[in-house]
């Protein structure tokens, strides 16, 4: 991680530059060792932690994730997972700022219900306004609605993170056209968040023009999380290169691979 430069293909969030476009979560692994090995294999530089579920120093009697994933190596992205109202989400971000010595970068999610874990859009907009006004750099989880994404950007969020599918579902991108529309109209980074299941889903997100992908369950719930982390890293890289290369137009009928002019008979 460095400060922003003129390299046009580096991920820049809140003025800082990253070499990896894969962001990973730290939950659901069997132990801290597996967490560290999977994240190392992913190549991620930004790791997200659920402040209400992860020990960041609140409990001296439990393992502290800061000892396993050193802050000097990784950028921490505290998130408000498990928050279902504005006040709880805002309070959680402020707690993270205290625990991480004034850290400003946060991932906001305000959930609507326990079954779908879809975002409560109205509450998300309200919480985003409060946090931005309070000096936070807000990356925000939202649905795949281009209008809502535009409003969150207008509030001042530093990145918009539409879901691909419900959290933890592994269903992949259900609405690629909306994701593409969000990408085409955004002036801040767009990162797919939630619903990725395998490396081809990650590659698809990048081929749509997304700036990155955040995932947790897709890696942690795999039979071999470390190997899946490696696959996800490669999927992100391949999808980004394909997007930059510019794919051929899709056609309904066949087109000869070799020119027909100058045939030898």
């Amino acid at each position: 991680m460095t400060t922003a430069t003129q390299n046009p293909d580096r991920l820049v969030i809140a003025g800082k530059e990253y070499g990896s476009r894969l962001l990973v979560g730290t939950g659901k692994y069997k132990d801290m060792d597996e967490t560290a090995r999977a994240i190392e294999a992913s190549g991620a530089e930004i790791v997200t932690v659920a402040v209400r579920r992860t020990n960041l120093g609140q409990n001296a009697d439990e393992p502290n994730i800061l000892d396993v994933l050193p802050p000097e190596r990784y950028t921490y992205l505290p998130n408000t997972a498990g928050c279902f109202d504005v006040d709880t989400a805002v309070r959680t971000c402020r707690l993270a700022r205290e625990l991480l010595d004034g850290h400003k970068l946060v991932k906001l999610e305000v959930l609507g219900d326990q079954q779908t874990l879809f975002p409560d859009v109205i509450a998300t907009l309200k919480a985003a306004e409060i946090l931005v006004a309070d000096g936070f750099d807000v990356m925000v989880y939202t649905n795949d609605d281009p209008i809502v994404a535009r409003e969150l950007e207008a509030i001042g969020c530093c990145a918009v993170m539409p879901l691909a599918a419900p959290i933890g579902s592994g269903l992949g991108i259900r609405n690629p056209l909306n994701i593409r529309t969000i990408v085409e109209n955004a002036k801040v980074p767009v990162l797919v968040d939630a619903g990725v299941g395998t490396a081809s889903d990650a590659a698809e997100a990048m081929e749509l023009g997304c700036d990155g992908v955040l995932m947790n369950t897709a890696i942690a719930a795999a039979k071999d999380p470390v190997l899946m982390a490696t696959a996800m890293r490669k999927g992100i890289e391949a999808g980004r290169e394909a997007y930059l290369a510019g794919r051929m137009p899709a056609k309904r009928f066949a087109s000869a691979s070799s020119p027909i002019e100058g045939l030898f008979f």
Side-chain angles (χ1 to χ4, degrees):
M1 180 187 70
T2 62
T3 55
T5 68
Q6 297 303 309
N7 186 334
D9 195 42
R10 303 280 282 183
L11 175 61
V12 179
I13 296 176
K16 292 190 176 180
E17 183 179 283
Y18 301 90
S20 173
R21 293 177 179 272
L22 175 59
L23 290 68
V24 294
T26 54
K28 300 186 178 180
Y29 294 96
K30 68 180 182 182
D31 54 36
M32 288 284 195
D33 177 67
E34 184 177 77
T35 302
R37 290 188 296 114
I39 291 174
E40 169 76 21
S42 76
E45 297 169 70
I46 300 176
V47 294
T48 185
V49 291
V51 179
R52 304 180 76 202
R53 302 169 183 163
T54 306
N55 184 25
L56 293 168
Q58 308 98 304
N59 191 337
D61 298 325
E62 295 182 3
N64 187 335
I65 198 165
L66 298 175
D67 296 331
V68 178
L69 302 172
E72 59 270 20
R73 178 173 181 184
Y74 296 100
T75 292
Y76 271 73
L77 180 62
N79 69 59
T80 60
C83 295
F84 289 84
D85 61 80
V86 174
D87 290 342
T88 305
V90 170
R91 188 167 60 250
T92 299
C93 288
R94 289 172 175 164
L95 173 62
R97 183 165 59 185
E98 287 184 27
L99 292 170
L100 295 173
D101 299 322
H103 187 83
K104 297 196 303 179
L105 185 67
V106 294
K107 177 196 164 190
L108 172 65
E109 54 183 80
V110 186
L111 305 176
D113 64 71
Q114 290 279 0
Q115 181 178 22
T116 67
L117 299 182
F118 282 144
D120 180 333
V121 171
I122 295 173
T124 298
L125 289 164
K126 290 179 180 177
E129 287 182 338
I130 294 169
L131 291 170
V132 169
D134 197 19
F136 285 93
D137 295 320
V138 181
M139 301 175 67
V140 57
Y141 166 69
T142 183
N143 58 18
D144 57 9
D145 183 337
I147 306 304
V148 173
R150 185 181 66 194
E151 290 301 311
L152 289 165
E153 180 178 340
I155 286 170
C157 294
C158 67
V160 176
M161 308 176 75
L163 56 80
I167 292 173
S169 67
L171 291 172
I173 297 176
R174 297 291 86 194
N175 198 338
L177 295 180
N178 273 21
I179 298 293
R180 186 185 293 278
T181 300
I182 292 171
V183 169
E184 289 174 346
N185 289 284
K187 294 181 176 63
V188 297
V190 175
L191 298 91
V192 157
D193 178 17
V196 167
T198 190
S200 58
D201 299 330
E204 181 183 7
M206 300 308 295
E207 289 173 4
L208 288 170
C210 291
D211 296 281
V213 179
L214 189 151
M215 65 182 73
N216 186 178
T217 308
I219 295 175
K223 292 181 180 179
D224 185 337
V226 176
L227 185 58
M228 182 59 81
T230 301
M232 290 297 188
R233 173 174 56 80
K234 294 175 180 176
I236 292 285
E237 292 171 355
R240 181 63 180 177
E241 290 180 2
Y243 171 73
L244 294 175
R247 66 156 291 156
M248 62 168 284
K251 299 178 181 179
R252 182 179 177 185
F253 297 109
S255 177
S257 298
S258 300
I260 59 174
E261 297 82 3
L263 290 177
F264 295 98
F265 290 100

